[in-house]
Amino acid sequence: MSLSRLFRAPEAAAGLVILGLLVAMAVAAPWLFPRDPLAIAGQPLLPPFQDWALPLGTDRLGRDVVAGLFHSARTSLAVGLAAAAASILVGSIVGTVAGFAGGFVDEVLMRITDAFQTVPGFLLSLALVSVVGPSLSVVVAAIALSAWTGPTRIARAEVLSIRERDYVASARVIGMHPVEIAFREVLPNALPPVLALSSVIVAAAILTEAALSFLGLGDPNRVTWGGMIAEGRAVLRSAPYLSVIPGIALVLSVLGVYLAGEGVVEGTAAREGQA
């Protein structure tokens, strides 16, 4: 799909622009702000636009707000993409095995999926991070653990339809191993609807990571938007910008990821309809 076709839809164009800015911030952060974003850069609680070396001011400890925003983009993007990749990988494998094997295996795997779906995703992530400890890898694993059920059900539904098609029957006739049929012939054709969930999972992962950081359960060695919002909570009356600025960045990033993903899905559906 061409970018020109995506930019015809205003929502998709807005999402792509926001997502592009987010990626640019994440990539440029080490070059524009090579220092540790948690290091003291000036006097505490410097208001925005008072010192052009610190255009958005400083927090209670004198840390640069702009540097925090840029480095937080790296954290959010890394968590979102890693969690989405892990959840889609696990969900695709489990859904393929369940749908292709059927019978007892399908029943067991679906009951396990149901058990995970009965627990709210954020509470499951919160419990895991609280028990294991806050670190970036644990946060990614916790988010993926709460998000794999959606891809699993979609993959299973697709596999149940695909496994009855002629080319799958032909593969059985020529003696291909069932595992080879499932992951070489069936899974690639079941993936597109599963991948359509990517934008939703990435957006949810960014929000979950921010919420965990807001509660003090994020990686203490990394600056995050949720942590910045929590830091500004103590001085919300006197310095609201400390919470408002990272809050706006968080909302825009989630909205951009979602709109861009929806634009890709709708564009793909339109192209398939025309074909």
Side-chain angles (χ1 to χ4, degrees):
M1 183 189 306
S2 63
L3 286 177
S4 60
R5 180 175 297 180
L6 280 178
F7 274 101
R8 292 175 188 171
E11 299 86 355
L16 287 173
V17 169
I18 296 173
L19 186 58
L21 290 175
L22 178 65
V23 173
M25 289 173 64
V27 173
W31 286 273
L32 294 179
F33 305 98
R35 293 180 58 191
D36 184 357
L38 297 175
I40 296 175
Q43 67 181 52
L45 295 178
L46 180 68
F49 312 121
Q50 297 294 316
D51 183 353
W52 289 111
L54 303 166
L56 293 182
T58 58
D59 63 7
R60 293 189 303 163
L61 299 178
R63 296 174 295 196
D64 187 358
V65 173
V66 174
L69 286 177
F70 274 70
H71 283 271
S72 293
R74 288 175 62 85
T75 302
S76 295
L77 201 60
V79 169
L81 294 177
S87 59
I88 288 176
L89 177 63
V90 172
S92 299
I93 293 174
V94 174
T96 300
V97 172
F100 194 78
F104 178 74
V105 174
D106 183 23
E107 188 70 20
V108 170
L109 291 177
M110 286 301 99
R111 296 296 75 78
I112 294 174
T113 303
D114 290 339
F116 274 89
Q117 285 188 312
T118 58
V119 182
F122 178 71
L123 292 182
L124 184 60
S125 301
L126 183 64
L128 182 60
V129 174
S130 299
V131 172
V132 179
S135 69
L136 198 63
S137 58
V138 173
V139 170
V140 169
I143 295 173
L145 189 64
S146 63
W148 66 274
T149 55
T152 295
R153 289 200 169 276
I154 293 179
R156 174 180 177 271
E158 289 294 314
V159 170
L160 287 175
S161 173
I162 294 173
R163 72 177 186 178
E164 303 299 331
R165 296 181 183 176
D166 292 341
Y167 69 87
V168 177
S170 300
R172 290 193 181 99
V173 170
I174 64 175
M176 288 182 65
H177 193 277
V179 174
E180 187 179 4
I181 296 175
F183 290 99
R184 184 176 177 180
E185 302 293 335
V186 176
L187 178 57
N189 293 296
L191 270 181
V194 179
L195 293 177
L197 285 177
S198 299
S199 60
V200 176
I201 297 175
V202 171
I206 292 174
L207 281 176
T208 302
E209 185 278 327
L212 291 172
S213 297
F214 181 82
L215 296 175
L217 293 174
D219 191 331
N221 299 317
R222 290 179 178 266
V223 60
T224 64
W225 285 325
M228 293 177 70
I229 296 172
E231 174 67 24
R233 180 177 50 181
V235 290
L236 191 58
R237 290 181 180 272
S238 59
Y241 66 92
L242 291 179
S243 293
V244 171
I245 293 174
I248 292 174
L250 176 61
V251 170
L252 288 177
S253 65
V254 172
L255 185 63
V257 170
Y258 179 77
L259 290 178
E262 286 297 300
V264 172
V265 172
E266 291 177 6
T268 302
R271 186 180 61 178
E272 290 178 352
Q274 292 175 357

